[in-house]
């Protein structure tokens, strides 16, 4: 619902915003009152079960159903603690053997990044998508629709294993996460009219990414110390756009191609014009 409200704001649909904003707030209050399990650090699936689903908890973070960053971190840690040797389980899928859903795990990646836990996200990519790439029963170039948490190629929702897709677009979540969160190229306005550069390198030391929108080309290159701290940054965004930068724990200033300077305050800078910028420590 919150993403729908963001869309309504983008197209200036004030009537929908007025109607649905109070409802969204009530849902948030009710969900936290009725479904939050502070001991588990996770939400229950509904009021009649103790099941703590992967999909609902990851989406709670992504949809801003949580109350604060501490709650996000609790969910991130609790989800990570459930991983098995072949990836993250989706207990809501049912069955006597836990199921791994790369589709839902793609949202778990986003949840870890939003919770400022990039190393957890990168570790899950290496664990789960590494298995899908390396296992000899796979194609070694595409991703499977789902499999069992014991590593067997059976997907609980289906009774016939040959039905399971081994080239499943919904299982490609790392592609967007590596661009939007690790490289930190985020479009927060229509087509990138507003943007955020917020790289989360985790234990990586160099990341580069780029793509185009109807407004032009977006590009970013970051270098890090290997402990999550960004040491160098260069990025370019289309002229006529504007945005901000978040480099937590970093001091220095940003300098653009025209020699304009913006000092980082607590690792952040806003109101930047589109163009080429670089970090000067």
């Amino acid at each position: 619902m919150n993403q729908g409200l963001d869309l309504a704001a983008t197209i200036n649909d004030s009537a929908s915003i007025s109607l649905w904003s109070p409802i969204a707030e009530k849902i948030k209050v009710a969900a936290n009152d009725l479904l939050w399990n502070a001991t588990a650090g996770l939400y229950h699936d509904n009021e009649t079960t103790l099941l703590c689903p992967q999909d609902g908890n990851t989406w709670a973070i992504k949809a801003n159903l949580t109350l604060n960053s501490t709650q996000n971190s609790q969910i991130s840690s609790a989800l990570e603690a459930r991983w098995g040797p072949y990836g993250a389980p989706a207990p809501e899928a049912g069955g006597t053997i836990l199921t791994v859903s790369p589709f839902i795990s793609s949202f778990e990646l986003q949840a870890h990044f939003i919770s400022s836990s990039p190393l957890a996200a990168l570790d899950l990519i290496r664990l789960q998508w590494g298995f899908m790439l390396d296992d000899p029963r796979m194609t070694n170039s595409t991703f499977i629709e789902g499999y069992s948490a014991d590593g067997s190629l059976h997907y609980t929702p289906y009774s016939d294993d040959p039905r399971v897709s081994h080239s499943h677009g919904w299982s490609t979540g790392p592609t967007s996460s590596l661009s939007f969160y690790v490289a930190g190229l985020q479009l927060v306005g229509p087509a990138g009219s507003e943007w955020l550069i917020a790289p989360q390198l985790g234990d990586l030391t160099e990341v580069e990414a780029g793509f185009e929108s109807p407004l032009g080309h977006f590009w970013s290159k970051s270098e890090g110390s290997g402990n999550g701290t960004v040491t160098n940054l260069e990025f370019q965004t289309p002229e006529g756009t504007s945005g901000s930068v978040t480099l937590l724990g970093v001091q220095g200033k940003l300098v653009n191609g025209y020699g304009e300077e913006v000092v980082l305050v607590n690792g952040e800078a806003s109101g930047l014009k589109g163009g080429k910028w670089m970090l000067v420590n």
Side-chain angles (χ1 to χ4, degrees):
M1 186 175 291
N2 285 324
Q3 292 188 343
L5 289 170
D6 289 341
L7 178 59
T10 297
I11 62 175
N12 297 314
D13 183 358
S14 57
S16 292
I17 294 173
S18 297
L19 173 63
W20 292 103
S21 291
I23 297 174
E25 285 299 318
K26 290 178 181 178
I27 290 175
K28 184 169 184 171
V29 170
N32 281 280
D33 286 346
L34 298 174
L35 303 178
W36 177 247
N37 182 329
T39 301
L42 294 165
Y43 290 97
H44 292 156
D45 191 67
N46 56 67
E47 292 178 74
T48 63
T49 181
L50 297 179
L51 173 70
C52 296
Q54 181 191 24
D55 56 5
N57 278 281
T58 55
W59 197 257
I61 293 177
K62 184 171 173 59
N64 193 29
L65 189 73
T66 52
L67 300 175
N68 48 55
S69 59
T70 298
Q71 199 173 16
N72 287 351
S73 296
Q74 287 179 286
I75 294 173
S76 174
S77 297
L79 290 173
E80 182 179 5
R82 302 200 303 194
W83 297 350
Y86 302 100
E92 64 274 15
T96 56
I97 300 176
L98 285 173
T99 292
V100 173
S101 168
F103 171 54
I104 298 303
S105 293
S106 296
F107 291 113
E108 180 171 334
L109 295 179
Q110 295 182 41
H112 290 307
F113 282 118
I114 295 170
S115 303
S116 299
S117 301
L119 188 56
L122 291 171
D123 283 345
L124 183 55
I125 291 174
R126 294 172 179 130
L127 174 68
Q128 186 166 317
W129 278 267
F131 167 66
M132 286 186 276
L133 283 175
D134 294 339
D135 190 272
R137 297 168 295 172
M138 306 289 189
T139 69
N140 305 120
S141 63
T142 60
F143 299 123
I144 192 171
E145 183 176 4
Y147 56 95
S148 294
D150 64 1
S152 59
L153 303 194
H154 171 72
Y155 190 42
T156 298
Y158 299 154
S159 58
D160 53 335
D161 293 341
R163 178 181 174 184
V164 179
S165 168
H166 282 253
S167 182
H168 203 65
W170 285 3
S171 299
T172 59
T175 304
S176 59
S177 286
L178 289 170
S179 296
F180 299 157
Y181 295 104
V182 179
L185 283 171
Q186 299 186 32
L187 308 186
V188 296
S193 57
E194 295 180 46
W195 38 265
L196 169 65
I197 308 296
Q200 296 188 59
L201 302 189
D203 58 356
L204 302 179
T205 57
E206 184 175 340
V207 175
E208 183 173 358
F211 51 76
E212 288 190 39
S213 84
L215 296 180
H217 187 65
F218 294 80
W219 169 81
S220 174
K221 180 178 180 180
S222 306
E223 296 179 355
S225 59
N227 64 1
T229 302
V230 174
T231 55
N232 291 294
L233 171 67
E234 297 179 67
F235 67 90
Q236 186 166 4
T237 56
E239 299 286 347
T241 64
S242 62
S244 57
V245 170
T246 297
L247 299 170
L248 297 181
V250 176
Q251 297 180 339
K253 59 186 177 183
L254 298 168
V255 181
N256 71 5
Y258 301 103
E260 299 172 327
E261 300 181 353
V262 177
V263 176
L264 293 170
V265 178
N266 296 322
E268 298 182 329
S270 60
L272 302 174
K273 297 185 295 186
K276 188 171 184 177
W277 292 84
M278 66 181 300
L279 171 67
V280 178
N281 293 311

